[in-house]
């Protein structure tokens, strides 16, 4: 068995004793000092086997790497981040900095990405300072990584300011900022940047077009979305092969209420240049969401069954949509069956959102005791995260069915999570009014007044297609 294969085996089995024996052998024979790549492999394997409480053990091994050569550190930072150890990636970067290892754009970009993964704001800002002092500000790659860092942490003002100050920019920089605008739902600012890109000599690519469609969906700008669709047909030679662009089109039409348009795009999606067809889970989930959002619940169930027949493995988003649809169509047993199949057939752990859908399904069917049992027996693998919406669904169902005692319990649990949630107070107050419980209503009103709660005035905006 080769050393690389043995290290991989240790990483998979978390066998620290075997790893230490191999390490001792490599030290005795001197093999460890002949290969920088072996150093990197050894350190990564330790990172997967050693608990985070023993990080000093890992730091000690960094000294085996030639401190004049940054390549091994670059590979290690990138590998640790890519494999889900961003904290260790930051530790590795800190070690290189302290020990005077040359830091290049590759290390900076990987470390900035790791910083955004764990929302290390201060560390990222220190990196920004390092970039300025070391002269890497002129690097379009480092600039893009910085914009992406600020955008992912929703520090949009910092990202926009950095973009404006960059001496050299490309479409990747603009796309990183567009992504931040989309996450912050600053659709107007996103459109303004898209409009300015030609004046900045920045070309639109497929990501830019997807971001534009997302902004159209956010503003329900049907006419503009249609214009972008026409531009995509003219610009992109193989639209059917770009899954993300196709799913953005489907979602844009779906959010604007044009279900048939979304269906047409879905029907044409997934075709490659040779005529072969492959619609992955992203496309199917997008179309499922369109049907669910627009109240076509029977179509959700039908499409989900068609998806399974095509051999597509559903993801968590697909299950949220189909379980919710079963609740709206009264197919309680089918919804429960789908919920159970998440674990038994597809190995997915239900999240609080899935439990919310299951509880809503049971409440709609009047199965209040079962819903109460489910929400109280949620396993830890669902993050133990009860949500206000779960208790709100149960409270609303109790209102419909007249179960006052259970309603009080559900409201109490909801308010333990969010004392400022006026919706729960209003639901409970309506229920008390329905059954003439005026003393309880007065107590609720006093409690709301003490907490400064009042119902907000809402507004709506739509664009009507001509």
């Amino acid at each position: 068995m080769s050393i690389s294969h043995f290290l991989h085996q240790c990483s998979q089995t978390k066998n620290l004793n075997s790893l230490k024996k191999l390490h001792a052998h490599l030290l005795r024979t001197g093999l460890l000092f002949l290969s920088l790549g072996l150093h990197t492999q050894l350190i990564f394997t330790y990172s997967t086997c050693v608990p985070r409480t023993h990080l000093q053990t890992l730091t000690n091994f960094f000294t085996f790497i030639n401190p004049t050569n940054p390549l091994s550190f670059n590979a290690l930072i990138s590998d640790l981040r890519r494999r889900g150890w961003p904290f260790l990636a930051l530790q590795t970067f800190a070690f290189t900095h302290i020990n005077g290892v040359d830091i290049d754009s590759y290390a900076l970009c990987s470390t900035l990405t790791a910083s955004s993964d764990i929302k290390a704001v201060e560390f990222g800002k220190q990196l920004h300072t390092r970039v300025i002092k070391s002269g890497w500000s002129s690097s379009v790659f480092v600039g893009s990584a910085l914009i992406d860092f600020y955008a992912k942490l929703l520090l949009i003002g910092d990202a926009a300011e950095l973009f404006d100050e960059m001496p050299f920019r490309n479409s990747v920089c603009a796309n990183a900022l567009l992504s931040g605008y989309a996450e912050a739902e600053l659709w107007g600012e996103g459109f303004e940047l898209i409009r300015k890109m030609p004046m900045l000599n920045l070309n639109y690519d497929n990501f830019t077009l997807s971001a534009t469609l997302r902004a159209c969906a956010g503003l329900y700008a049907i006419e503009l979305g249609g214009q972008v669709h026409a531009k995509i047909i003219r610009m992109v030679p193989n639209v059917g092969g770009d899954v993300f662009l196709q799913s953005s089109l489907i979602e844009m039409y779906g959010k604007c209420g044009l279900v048939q348009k979304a269906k047409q795009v879905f029907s044409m999606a997934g075709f490659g240049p040779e005529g072969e067809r492959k619609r992955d889970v992203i496309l199917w989930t997008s179309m499922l969401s369109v049907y669910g959002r627009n109240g076509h619940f029977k179509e959700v169930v039908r499409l989900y069954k068609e998806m399974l027949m095509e051999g597509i493995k559903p993801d968590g988003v697909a299950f949220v949509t189909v379980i919710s649809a079963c609740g709206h169509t009264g197919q309680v047993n089918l919804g429960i069956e789908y919920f159970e199949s998440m674990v038994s057939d597809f190995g997915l752990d239900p999240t609080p959102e899935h439990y919310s859908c299951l509880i809503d399904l049971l409440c709609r069917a009047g199965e209040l005791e079962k819903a109460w049992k489910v929400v109280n027996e949620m396993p830890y693998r669902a993050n133990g995260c009860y949500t206000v919406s779960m208790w709100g669904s149960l409270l609303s169902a109790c209102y419909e069915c007249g179960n006052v005692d259970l309603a009080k319990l559900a409201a109490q649990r909801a308010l333990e999570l969010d004392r400022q949630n006026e919706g729960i107070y209003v639901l409970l107050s309506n229920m008390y009014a329905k059954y003439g419980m005026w003393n309880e209503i007065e107590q609720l009103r006093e409690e709301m007044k003490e907490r400064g709660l009042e119902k907000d005035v809402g507004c709506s905006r739509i664009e009507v297609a001509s």
Side-chain angles (χ1 to χ4, degrees):
M1 182 187 296
S2 69
I3 293 174
S4 294
H5 184 69
F6 185 84
L7 286 170
H8 177 72
Q9 202 172 60
C10 290
S11 178
Q12 294 294 313
T13 60
K14 306 288 190 295
N15 193 333
L16 186 58
N17 288 332
S18 296
L19 180 60
K20 286 181 176 179
K21 289 177 182 177
L22 174 65
H23 185 198
H25 171 73
L26 294 173
L27 284 171
R28 283 196 305 270
T29 59
L31 291 173
L32 183 60
F33 306 101
L34 299 179
S35 170
L36 289 174
L38 190 56
H39 292 163
T40 305
Q41 281 184 284
L42 186 65
I43 291 172
F44 176 76
T45 307
Y46 267 108
S47 73
T48 59
C49 296
V50 176
R52 293 197 178 193
T53 53
H54 296 81
L55 288 178
Q56 185 58 44
T57 307
L58 295 178
T59 306
N60 293 338
F61 292 114
F62 293 156
T63 56
F64 291 130
I65 299 180
N66 183 352
T68 63
N69 188 338
L71 296 181
S72 294
F73 286 106
N74 289 352
L76 185 59
I77 291 169
S78 176
D79 208 27
L80 287 169
R81 183 264 152 189
R82 183 172 54 84
R83 300 202 187 196
W85 294 76
F87 180 72
L88 290 179
L90 299 191
Q91 279 235 323
T92 306
F93 180 87
F95 178 87
T96 63
H97 175 66
I98 292 169
N99 288 274
V101 181
D102 289 336
I103 294 174
D104 56 17
S105 61
Y106 191 94
L108 288 167
C109 291
S110 297
T111 310
L112 281 165
T113 305
S115 299
S116 65
D117 287 343
I118 58 174
K119 303 188 187 309
V121 178
E122 290 306 316
F123 196 99
K125 287 185 174 182
Q126 290 172 14
L127 281 175
H128 190 176
T129 303
R130 167 83 185 190
V131 166
I132 295 170
K133 289 181 177 179
S134 60
W136 282 108
S137 301
S138 58
S139 167
V140 72
F141 302 107
V142 176
S144 296
L146 275 168
I147 292 172
D148 185 64
F149 163 76
Y150 284 122
K152 283 181 177 174
L153 297 180
L154 295 183
L155 300 171
I156 308 302
D158 294 310
E161 184 179 348
L162 181 61
F163 179 82
D164 291 336
E165 293 175 352
M166 286 182 69
F168 304 103
R169 290 171 289 211
N170 62 11
S171 297
V172 177
C173 302
N175 289 340
L177 182 53
L178 280 174
S179 213
Y181 282 141
E183 287 301 315
E185 298 186 357
L186 298 172
W187 312 118
E189 287 82 348
F191 271 125
E192 180 62 20
L193 175 58
I194 293 164
R195 187 188 64 79
K196 284 168 41 180
M197 284 178 65
M199 293 181 279
L200 298 172
N201 295 318
L202 301 178
N203 296 322
Y204 297 150
D205 59 15
N206 287 18
F207 187 97
T208 314
L209 294 169
S210 291
T212 309
L213 288 169
R214 192 175 176 186
C216 292
L219 290 172
Y220 303 100
I222 302 170
E223 186 175 347
L224 185 56
Q227 292 173 9
V228 176
H229 190 178
K231 189 176 185 67
I232 288 170
I233 294 171
R234 293 195 304 270
M235 279 183 57
V236 183
N238 180 27
V239 182
D242 190 320
V243 172
F244 295 102
L245 200 52
Q246 292 283 322
S247 63
S248 296
L249 277 167
I250 292 169
E251 289 170 9
M252 185 274 292
Y253 282 124
K255 283 189 176 180
C256 293
L258 302 178
V259 178
Q260 286 305 312
K261 282 278 190 182
K263 186 179 178 181
Q264 288 173 12
V265 175
F266 178 75
S267 300
M268 301 284 290
F271 285 103
E274 304 300 324
E276 74 279 6
R277 189 174 202 190
K278 185 179 180 181
R279 291 184 292 187
D280 71 357
V281 67
I282 296 173
L283 286 170
W284 286 92
T285 302
S286 296
M287 194 63 220
L288 283 170
S289 297
V290 168
Y291 281 138
R293 186 180 295 112
N294 289 278
H296 297 230
F297 301 116
K298 290 183 179 179
E299 287 299 303
V300 170
V301 178
R302 181 197 62 77
L303 189 66
Y304 178 77
K305 291 177 179 177
E306 186 182 330
M307 174 182 171
L308 295 181
M309 288 176 63
E310 283 211 13
I312 305 296
K313 180 183 176 180
D315 59 9
V317 178
F319 276 108
V320 166
T321 308
V322 74
I323 294 169
S324 177
C326 289
H328 284 86
T329 55
Q331 300 178 81
V332 180
N333 291 334
L334 185 61
I336 294 172
E337 180 185 323
Y338 286 149
F339 181 85
E340 292 173 346
S341 74
M342 286 184 64
V343 178
S344 60
D345 296 335
F346 300 104
L348 298 172
D349 286 336
T351 66
E353 193 172 5
H354 296 110
Y355 277 98
S356 289
C357 291
L358 179 62
I359 292 161
D360 182 67
L361 172 127
L362 293 170
C363 288
R364 286 176 181 273
E367 300 281 359
L368 303 185
E369 298 298 332
K370 285 185 180 179
W372 173 262
K373 185 177 179 182
V374 167
V375 77
N376 278 289
E377 294 179 358
M378 278 175 55
Y380 182 74
R381 66 184 175 193
N383 300 323
C385 185
Y386 300 117
T387 65
V388 174
S389 66
M390 292 179 187
W391 298 112
S393 294
L394 186 55
L395 175 57
S396 181
C398 290
Y399 171 80
E400 295 295 331
C401 298
N403 193 327
V404 177
D405 292 334
L406 197 54
K408 286 182 178 180
L409 289 172
Q412 181 183 344
R413 295 291 182 87
L415 292 174
E416 285 172 3
L417 296 172
D418 182 7
R419 284 286 178 189
Q420 299 299 112
N421 192 310
E422 63 267 19
I424 299 298
Y425 284 104
V426 171
L427 265 175
L428 193 57
S429 177
N430 289 344
M431 182 167 196
Y432 288 154
K434 184 177 180 180
Y435 295 101
M437 303 169 70
W438 308 116
N439 290 335
E440 285 82 354
I441 289 177
E442 191 60 36
Q443 290 175 5
L444 274 181
R445 285 177 178 169
E446 287 299 321
E447 188 174 344
M448 289 183 72
K449 189 182 294 184
E450 287 175 9
R451 298 185 182 281
L453 298 177
E454 59 182 26
K455 196 175 187 307
D456 292 331
V457 177
C459 63
S460 301
R461 175 187 179 276
I462 62 169
E463 181 179 333
V464 181
S466 55

